[in-house]
Amino acid sequence: MEASTATTTTTSARAQPFGQTEINWDKLDKTKFYVVGAGIFTGVTVALYPMSVIKTRLQVATKDTVEKNAFSVIRGLLKSDGIPGLYRGFGTVITGAIPARIIFLTALETTKVAAFKMIEPLNLSEAPQAAVANGIAGMTSSLFSQSVFVPIDVVSQKLMVQGYSGHERYKGGIDVVRKIVRSDGIRGLYRGFGLSVMTYSPSSAVWWASYGSSQRIIWRFLGYGTDAEPAAPSDSKIVAVQASGGIIAGATASCITTPLDTIKTRLQVMGHERKSTARQVVKTLVKDDGWTGLYKGLGPRFVSMSAWGTSMILAYEYLSMYSCSYSISRVLM
């Protein structure tokens, strides 16, 4: 009986492309999910980290800075530090990334299941239902993970911009932490926490909402979820749809939340002798560069969010299905 049920579940998920992204948290093998996930997400971080360095440098650049675009930033880093220059602050990020991702993914999966159940009585059509449920899950999981992400952000960003546009130099992550705590106490590590929540929570909500709804729209465009549904999609088609959804989600989220991200980054990298408020940061940006100053680093951030999001979602979907299938295979045994 158990084997029959498990087989039916697998076949049903294969026949319904929407089922590829809505994995039941209870069916996941948690050990596989976290252990394999740590390796996958570390690899993705290594590949895409340079984009974060470039984006951060562009966002803190003043009007007198020579490096005005992403290419000039790359040239400057390679000239002064070589390839390691593109990985400034990487050690700090990778140390905190694993616990932060565990918190994020746990909250995401558990909240998504609860959100779908919560909005079920509203009888929404498939795309809006996915947008709302995924949006709630993305925002909630981001709120939980910010307790780890913000200190990592503060330290890594100071390392990314050290010696650039007048910013202080450090001997490493520990030196950054020591100087921040000495001048501002522990709360200095959470500088810009409010803006981080205001940036990452909406960004995460927009990303996951866009991803969930765009994927369903693409599947319907391809003829799935209709009365005349074609044969089960191939693995390559599933990957292509998921990647397309990731790119659309990255574009949407980056365009909406880049101004907040620029303000947050500037606040977090300022030295204790140059403390400013969010309002003062906005005034300076608008005075120096006009309103377009709020979109500094939009290009690298769009590329980063799209590439990062697509890579992460493909890894995430593979991980979810891998963990889920592993659990099912154990039932069959």
Side-chain angles (χ1 to χ4, degrees):
M1 180 66 180
E2 287 179 338
S4 176
T5 304
T7 305
T8 303
T9 303
T10 308
T11 305
S12 174
R14 179 68 175 170
Q16 289 291 333
F18 302 140
Q20 294 291 332
T21 54
E22 311 308 340
I23 305 300
N24 192 328
W25 176 251
D26 296 331
K27 293 180 181 178
L28 289 177
D29 182 279
K30 309 300 189 297
T31 303
K32 289 284 182 180
F33 188 74
Y34 291 131
V35 173
V36 178
I40 291 176
F41 296 141
T42 298
V44 173
T45 303
V46 171
L48 299 175
Y49 187 79
M51 277 295 171
S52 296
V53 176
I54 297 164
K55 175 204 69 107
T56 301
R57 289 204 156 209
L58 285 174
Q59 287 179 329
V60 303
T62 62
K63 61 180 179 180
D64 300 320
T65 304
V66 176
E67 297 165 352
K68 298 292 185 182
N69 55 56
F71 295 109
S72 59
V73 170
I74 294 171
R75 278 197 304 270
L77 282 168
L78 292 176
K79 184 178 179 180
S80 61
D81 301 307
I83 296 296
L86 296 172
Y87 285 89
R88 285 187 173 188
F90 180 76
T92 302
V93 168
I94 207 65
T95 301
I98 293 176
R101 292 294 171 196
I102 287 174
I103 293 171
F104 182 87
L105 290 174
T106 302
L108 178 72
E109 284 295 341
T110 52
T111 308
K112 189 159 59 170
V113 172
F116 269 106
K117 290 179 180 177
M118 183 179 69
I119 65 173
E120 195 173 357
L122 299 178
N123 293 321
L124 299 173
S125 59
E126 206 139 27
Q129 184 186 49
V132 173
N134 281 282
I136 292 172
M139 178 174 285
T140 306
S141 55
S142 182
L143 281 170
F144 278 108
S145 62
Q146 287 311 303
S147 59
V148 178
F149 267 130
V150 172
I152 296 299
D153 248 0
V154 171
V155 175
S156 64
Q157 286 174 350
K158 280 182 175 288
L159 290 172
M160 287 177 190
V161 302
Q162 61 177 327
Y164 177 74
S165 194
H167 289 279
E168 185 178 355
R169 286 192 172 275
Y170 300 94
K171 297 175 183 177
I174 295 176
D175 186 39
V176 175
V177 173
R178 187 168 55 244
K179 288 182 177 178
I180 291 174
V181 172
R182 186 188 303 154
S183 62
D184 298 315
I186 295 296
R187 70 176 186 175
L189 293 171
Y190 284 87
R191 191 170 191 184
F193 180 80
L195 270 174
S196 288
V197 171
M198 289 173 62
T199 301
Y200 289 124
S201 293
S203 179
S204 185
V206 171
W207 200 99
W208 284 96
S210 301
Y211 174 72
S213 56
S214 64
Q215 219 187 163
R216 279 159 175 74
I217 292 171
I218 294 170
W219 280 123
R220 288 200 176 278
F221 178 78
L222 294 174
Y224 292 91
T226 61
D227 292 336
E229 187 168 311
S234 63
D235 289 338
S236 59
K237 183 177 286 187
I238 292 171
V239 169
V241 171
Q242 289 172 344
S244 300
I247 293 171
I248 293 169
T252 306
S254 59
C255 288
I256 292 174
T257 60
T258 289
L260 282 173
D261 187 62
T262 302
I263 299 166
K264 171 196 72 71
T265 300
R266 286 205 160 201
L267 282 174
Q268 289 179 330
V269 302
M270 284 177 178
H272 64 276
E273 73 286 349
R274 295 186 295 170
K275 290 179 181 176
S276 296
T277 63
R279 179 176 293 183
Q280 289 170 328
V281 169
V282 172
K283 283 183 177 179
T284 302
L285 279 167
V286 174
K287 180 183 176 182
D288 291 346
D289 302 292
W291 289 102
T292 56
L294 293 170
Y295 281 88
K296 280 191 170 188
L298 174 62
R301 189 162 191 259
F302 162 67
V303 173
S304 178
M305 286 192 78
S306 296
W308 177 273
T310 302
S311 303
M312 290 292 279
I313 203 63
L314 292 176
Y316 166 77
E317 299 291 7
Y318 162 76
L319 193 55
S320 297
M321 291 304 298
Y322 173 74
S323 304
C324 191
S325 14
Y326 179 80
S327 296
I328 290 174
S329 69
R330 289 203 303 181
V331 172
L332 287 170
M333 290 171 66

